Amino acid sequence: MSNLNPNTKRETFSSGLAVFFATLGSAVGLGNIWKFPYLVGINGGGAFILVYLICVALVGMPVAISEFYIGRRARTNPIQAFEKLKASSFWKIIGYLGVLTSLFVMLFYSSVAGWVYLYTFKAIKGDFTNIASLPIKEAGIFVSNEFNIAVNGTLSPMLWQLIVIAIVSIIIFAGVKKGIEKVTKTLMPVLLVLIILCAIRALTLEGAKEGINFLFSMDFSAITPSVILSALGLAFFKLSIGMGTMMTYASYFTDDNNMPVTSARVALSDTGISMLAGLAIFPVVFTFGLEPGSGRGLLFNTIPLVFSKIPFGNVLLAAFFFLASIAATTAMTSMFAVPVSVLTESLNMKKGKAVLLTGGVIIFIGILTVHPSSLLGNITILSLNFFDLFDYISSNIFMPIGGLLIAIFVGYFVAKDDLINELSNQGKLNMAIYLKLFRLILRYVTPILLIIIFLNSVGLLKL
């Protein structure tokens, strides 16, 4: 049963600032804390950042603005949106893909978020304070064992995944203004302050210069076709697009929100937070002679070891993982909102039941599949365990296809005047030249680049 009553009052964000923090909270995730700075460092430093920003302009922002258009214009969930826009029923596939993608991502992302929550709790308790007194080898064994327990434990990883889902469920149940808006307006500034403090402390260390060089050296010789493809994919995935989140949040935008400017602010702020994370991490890495390419292992295996050897290290360690938990929570909240909006608006389900059903599905499947100690944790499909399989399908198949369909729909099946009127707030914003350029890129550049991203992601294109 549809819930398309035009007289139904739909909740909206209270201001442009609330919109900015909510959409930024959706874009900022655990990838900002490690993956982005690491890719910058190994792919040409500042040169990679320049390429990345170009890719954001050509792929990330056009798709984000397109999602904003669909969401605010329709004022409903990603599936019903195309019915409201009087589009062919075929285009509902975008909404279904968005729901599936957000669910698939949450299945494994909530597990990783649980590890971060656990490490925040352990740091606050002082579980890592004894590391400073241990010899390096014994300290390394200690933190390695702690991580193995966090990941491979029989009950602990499942319990912390449940806690993550419970907290996100409470935020969603509280609503747009009292839940999503209040949390993101509070936590995003806290995240920014914490990451700045960690960066300032890291820049006082001996390895600060080497860490800065790792991030910002302009090595254009490192920019190869494969690096450009990496920047393209990162620009697309980092902005949380192609999975219904931006479309869902945009359905709560105010009528006077400048959507093109919002997309630009989110893209630049997301990049800035990622670089601050790099400034907080890599000076520490080089000071203590750690391996900058150790990926996820650095975050959980070596960061406790490193901070234990710095004055007030346990405080900074707790702050670091609390920062990471904020990023995980705000990103999870935006994904969780997608299936809940569909259940409440398409099936007229009460919000409480929709939240419980969504959370229940994630927990049930997660407990059965994504943990090494899960009942199905050791089963592999195409040489991938379920954790990696959910990641691969959502990131390499669903998201690029969803983004491509969004670009084609808005670029070719939305009337030019309707698009420009909506994005210019019925002509109140003077940006005619920009919107014409945006539509040109959306029609002729973005789809080609998204096809390249998809072919590269599934291994059909190797440059």
Side-chain angles (χ1 to χ4, degrees):
M1 179 178 177
S2 279
N3 183 19
L4 295 174
N5 184 355
N7 297 317
T8 300
K9 181 67 175 178
R10 186 176 181 79
E11 192 176 10
T12 63
F13 292 113
S14 63
S15 65
L17 182 63
V19 166
F20 168 70
F21 280 131
T23 49
L24 180 61
S26 176
V28 172
L30 294 176
N32 294 72
I33 308 299
W34 172 245
K35 185 176 182 180
F36 180 86
Y38 165 67
L39 287 177
V40 169
I42 65 172
N43 288 316
F48 180 84
I49 296 174
L50 180 61
V51 173
Y52 169 78
L53 290 174
I54 293 172
C55 293
V56 166
L58 297 178
V59 177
M61 286 177 55
V63 177
I65 294 171
S66 297
E67 288 204 41
F68 288 170
Y69 165 81
I70 296 170
R72 194 176 73 172
R73 183 80 168 179
R75 295 287 188 196
T76 188
N77 64 74
I79 294 177
Q80 285 186 313
F82 298 94
E83 186 177 342
K84 288 284 290 286
L85 296 177
K86 302 186 186 306
S88 165
S89 59
F90 166 80
W91 296 108
K92 284 187 177 182
I93 192 174
I94 295 174
Y96 289 112
L97 272 176
V99 174
L100 281 175
T101 305
S102 61
L103 284 172
F104 270 50
V105 172
M106 284 189 289
L107 288 173
F108 67 88
Y109 195 91
S110 59
S111 175
V112 180
W115 305 343
V116 176
Y117 273 40
L118 170 59
Y119 268 64
T120 304
F121 178 68
K122 291 171 71 67
I124 292 173
K125 282 202 310 174
D127 286 359
F128 299 104
T129 53
N130 66 321
I131 298 177
S133 61
L134 296 175
I136 292 295
K137 185 176 181 179
E138 290 184 23
I141 293 173
F142 176 83
V143 295
S144 178
N145 288 338
E146 288 295 310
F147 182 64
N148 286 333
I149 292 172
V151 175
N152 299 312
T154 303
L155 294 177
S156 177
M158 301 174 189
L159 175 62
W160 284 100
Q161 184 182 28
L162 175 62
I163 292 172
V164 170
I165 296 300
I167 290 174
V168 173
S169 297
I170 292 170
I171 295 171
I172 293 294
F173 182 76
V176 173
K177 286 189 173 70
K178 294 181 180 179
I180 297 171
E181 179 177 322
K182 186 174 182 180
V183 169
T184 53
K185 283 176 70 174
T186 302
L187 293 186
M188 290 311 294
V190 171
L191 183 152
L192 185 60
V193 170
L194 287 175
I195 206 166
I196 288 174
L197 288 175
C198 287
I200 291 173
R201 180 65 185 91
L203 290 174
T204 64
L205 300 175
E206 294 179 4
K209 184 177 180 180
E210 195 172 357
I212 292 171
N213 289 337
F214 182 78
L215 278 172
F216 295 109
S217 60
M218 298 288 283
D219 183 9
F220 285 97
S221 66
I223 304 302
T224 63
S226 62
V227 169
I228 294 174
L229 280 176
S230 177
L232 270 173
L234 189 64
F236 181 74
F237 301 127
K238 278 293 285 95
L239 293 181
S240 189
I241 52 182
M243 53 193 298
T245 55
M246 291 301 187
M247 203 181 300
T248 301
Y249 271 14
S251 70
Y252 305 118
F253 281 11
T254 55
D255 290 331
D256 61 352
N257 180 259
N258 188 325
M259 294 187 287
V261 169
T262 294
S263 70
R265 287 175 177 170
V266 168
L268 292 174
S269 299
D270 178 66
T271 304
I273 289 174
S274 296
M275 297 314 300
L276 282 171
L279 290 174
I281 291 174
F282 290 114
V284 179
V285 170
F286 285 104
T287 296
F288 292 94
L290 303 174
E291 172 52 53
S294 56
R296 188 175 71 186
L298 176 75
L299 185 62
F300 294 101
N301 285 340
T302 62
I303 286 298
L305 176 63
V306 170
F307 278 123
S308 72
K309 299 183 179 299
I310 299 175
F312 304 104
N314 197 64
V315 175
L316 288 174
L317 177 63
F320 182 89
F321 279 112
F322 181 63
L323 179 156
S325 70
I326 291 173
T329 300
T330 54
M332 276 284 298
T333 299
S334 67
M335 289 183 273
F336 206 95
V338 178
V340 169
S341 70
V342 171
L343 291 172
T344 55
E345 295 169 353
S346 294
L347 301 180
N348 284 330
M349 186 179 292
K350 290 184 178 181
K351 182 185 285 187
K353 289 183 178 179
V355 170
L356 287 175
L357 178 60
T358 301
V361 168
I362 297 168
I363 288 298
F364 179 73
I365 298 178
I367 286 177
L368 286 178
T369 61
V370 300
H371 308 284
S373 59
S374 296
L375 181 63
L376 306 178
N378 293 321
I379 293 177
T380 60
I381 300 175
L382 300 175
S383 300
L384 298 173
N385 59 34
F386 278 103
F387 186 105
D388 294 327
L389 182 67
F390 293 143
D391 186 8
Y392 179 84
I393 292 175
S394 58
S395 299
N396 294 357
I397 299 176
F398 287 167
M399 291 175 72
I401 292 176
L404 177 61
L405 291 175
I406 289 168
I408 292 173
F409 173 74
V410 176
Y412 290 94
F413 291 87
V414 170
K416 179 180 178 181
D417 290 343
D418 288 346
L419 179 64
I420 291 177
N421 284 339
E422 185 69 31
L423 294 181
S424 66
N425 293 344
Q426 312 308 317
K428 295 177 183 177
L429 303 175
N430 184 19
M431 51 175 55
I433 296 177
Y434 171 80
L435 292 178
K436 289 180 180 178
L437 177 62
F438 154 73
R439 190 167 182 270
L440 185 69
I441 293 173
L442 185 68
R443 286 167 64 91
Y444 301 110
V445 179
T446 305
I448 294 174
L449 295 178
L450 283 170
I451 290 172
I452 292 173
I453 291 172
F454 174 71
L455 294 177
N456 179 67
S457 296
V458 296
L460 296 178
L461 177 67
K462 294 294 182 182
L463 298 177

